[in-house]
Amino acid sequence: MTLDEKLGQLVQRAGGRSKALNSRLDDAELERVRTGGVGSYLHVAGAEPLAKLQKVAVEESRLGIPLLFAMDVVHGYRTIFPVPVAMASTWAPESQERAARIAAEEATAAGLHWTFAPMIDIARDPRWGRSVEGAGEDPYLGARMAVAQVAGYQGGNTLRPGALMATAKHFGAYGAAIGGRDYNTADISERTLQEVYLPPFYAAARAGSGSFMVAFNDIAGVPTTANRELLRGLLRERWGWQGLMVSDWGSVGELVNHGVAADRAAAASLALDASVDMDMVGGVFAEDLKSVVTKDPARLKQLDEAVLRILRVKEQLGLFDKPMQYHDVEREARELLAPDHREAARAIARQSIVLLRNEGKLLPLDPGKLHSIAVIGALATDGLSELGSWRAQGKVEDVVTVLKGITAAVPGIRISSAPGADPRNDDLSGIPAALKLAKAADLTILMIGEDFDQSGEARSRSSLELPPSQMELARRVLALGKPVVVLLANGRPLAIAELAEKAPAIVETWMLGVEAGNAVADVLFGKYSPAGRLPAAFPRTTGAVPFNYSANATGRPADPDLARDTVRYHDLPITPLFAFGHGLSYSEFGYTDLAQSSQSLGPGERIDISVTVENTGGVPADEVVQLYVRDPVATIARPVLELRGFKRVELGAGQRKRVTFSLTSEQFAFWGPRGQWLVEAGRIDFWIGASSGDLRASGVFEITETHMGTAPAAALPTRVIVSN
Ligand code: BGC
């Protein structure tokens, strides 16, 4: 390869998304491909247009190296599934994997080799707009969802021909942006980085994610795009991961803005040295790396390594042998929005719904007792919002909106509807008309919240309150004193204390994808008992964040008694509004017969913790059984609770099942004082519960020996066995 051909492999260019897909692939662009100046395109799609482009690379360029085609296929390609924070609410990694598998089947049929997903950043400050794209606040839950997605996208833990390559992003602490302001500095301790932010990445690396993407931001002043210690040192050398590292959009050039590079050439040099292989869109490797590598033999060697890593994934995906494998137009027509894909989207959407509140058992609704329903709220007819902010090739006309879903579910009931108010503006003029309908109806279903563009990248918000027009609409509808069910749509935990005080029934629907309306109707009318659980707590006010259930023990543990001076706000209760793991059901569950296989746990051994869960409430329903642990005395103050196991269990009315969690001592390792995973001898407390705020049974055991751990504890999976 000539130097130019090598540099060309490192270049990723955009094919055009904001105007029309593939719109930038004009003659000049084809010429670049012909001369070997491009290694990959993003924001492209379509079996046929991409076949033409691939042919130019394979047949008309000197070396015939195939291109890599990428897109953000985040929660579906054409069949759009719930947004990631919603899918995390299923607490069912198997569902998350299924959704990713279907997305991969559609995307690979449409010419794509590579998705920029999963996003596995831990989000502990819901002001951060990208909370919607991840699995919430917890590293253990996050790691499980990360592994499920990598497995789903790639169809296994090594890349094979025909697979969709996954991207674990944004390595390593993008979600820790100070104040939740997107792109902001993360100023966190090494321990927090290792224990909280990195475990999902470790799990994704182990699961064989073919690529990683760096974060835009810096950690304590070191921009990740130039973080040699993190990228080359930790990820590649210590974790042994050898995949393709892509920059984020223009992040190589942004090293100049960060103030760690004087110019673009210096930025290129730093990024390559850190082991960034491909430059997404910025053009810095394309234009400024040549001068660097011609002057510095060390960089030239690193260039060769980067090229090799890019060629290796192309090889693994089968592109050298069968470059046209991803371009079967008939398969594309068959796959996109296939009936079984829609069915899966409906099933997973219902699993994602979280019943936050249900006073007086207002839900489920009995259609036999209702003559008329008013469906109020602009979001109830907003199909685009159900698709979320990364909709890939999702189309608004594919969406069953909430109004449509309800109308179809209860043909015998008169349905009226009005927008009332729209989250995008402060116009309240539509409220009187909505109130008129609400007054005339037996029951109101009020859908309020954020639209798709109020969360997502660069959509951080300083307030977690409902947009003002939404709250005002809710106040006035609720003031009528008639039965109201509130449906929330949003991409982050919100501060809804006032609403929770006034509204008897609140259903969290996030943004549920193409089958949103059907899924919501299934839950409202009792065809399906909700069992989603919050993957992040809902605070009482914006000022209460960040708030995390898994906080370190302090010298003054929070106490409800205000006369004591403890770690709390004086003007708020010590609990969040809705705890991590919270979610109600139409049924009830008993937890009995807690047992443990041993009183002690040594290195290389396992301990089994079992409990019987019984559905005592008379309707079939799922329950999410959660295991929390605490190391009460260690050299380092440890979190008061940590999730270390969970299982979503299906239970018929009256049915009981035995759930067994099996753990190893390594799962109790913490980042020790010498910068190593350390398991200390001593007592471990554990609890089984229905949420972090609803612990039902507890026990203790003893770790017998102090020893080293080898991996981030939260990344290691607990084995779960369910028996009858
Ligand atoms: C985002 C990434 C995304 C990329 C390509 C960036 O702005 O941070 O998450 O994959 O754009 O669309």
Side-chain angles (χ1 to χ4, degrees), residues 511-590:
M511 294 171 241
L512 289 175
V514 284
E515 285 289 320
N518 289 331
V520 166
D522 287 344
V523 165
L524 290 179
F525 299 106
K527 255 176 106 175
Y528 187 81
S529 175
R533 300 289 182 259
L534 293 179
F538 274 41
R540 289 178 192 272
T541 70
T542 306
V545 302
F547 177 95
N548 183 244
Y549 84 93
S550 193
N552 282 352
T554 64
R556 303 233 175 147
D559 194 308
D561 183 355
L562 274 176
R564 294 164 198 258
D565 297 341
T566 64
V567 56
R568 58 168 298 175
Y569 292 108
H570 216 255
D571 55 350
L572 283 179
I574 62 174
T575 52
L577 185 62
F578 299 114
F580 172 78
H582 170 77
L584 303 172
S585 168
Y586 294 157
S587 199
E588 269 142 45
F589 304 91

Side-chain angles (χ1 to χ4, degrees), residues 13 22 24-38 41 49-57 60-61 67 69:
R13 293 178 53 85
N22 303 329
R24 294 206 196 137
L25 302 178
D26 53 14
D27 288 346
E29 203 55 49
L30 295 188
E31 194 48 32
R32 263 179 212 276
V33 173
R34 238 170 245 124
T35 53
V38 190
Y41 281 95
L50 295 188
K52 285 194 194 134
L53 183 59
Q54 191 67 296
K55 265 183 169 261
V56 175
E60 299 177 35
S61 73
L67 294 160
F69 297 134

Side-chain angles (χ1 to χ4, degrees), residues 169-201:
K169 75 184 188 184
H170 309 79
F171 191 60
Y174 186 38
I178 294 175
R181 283 200 300 285
D182 207 3
Y183 317 118
N184 205 7
T185 296
D187 201 356
I188 52 176
S189 69
E190 183 65 18
R191 177 162 300 112
T192 299
L193 177 68
Q194 296 286 347
E195 292 186 0
V196 177
Y197 290 91
L198 294 184
F201 289 100

Side-chain angles (χ1 to χ4, degrees), residues 12 17 42-43 71-72 74 116-117 119 130 133 169-170 174 182-183 213-214 216 247-249 280-281 390 457:
Q12 182 175 61
R17 177 175 78 126
L42 84 161
H43 295 171
M71 186 189 255
D72 295 272
V74 173
F116 300 131
M119 190 201 93
R130 302 195 81 167
E133 294 177 52
K169 75 184 188 184
H170 309 79
Y174 186 38
D182 207 3
Y183 317 118
M213 186 189 295
V214 302
F216 279 122
S247 78
D248 203 346
W249 186 285
M280 184 193 288
V281 181
W390 284 118
E457 184 175 351

Side-chain angles (χ1 to χ4, degrees), residues 365-373 375 402-415 445 518 521-522 524-527:
L365 302 172
D366 180 351
K369 292 198 181 129
L370 293 167
H371 300 290
S372 57
I373 295 178
V375 178
V402 164
L403 177 63
K404 274 194 207 146
I406 291 174
T407 310
V410 285
I413 298 180
R414 213 170 347 103
I415 309 283
I445 295 171
N518 289 331
D522 287 344
L524 290 179
F525 299 106
K527 255 176 106 175

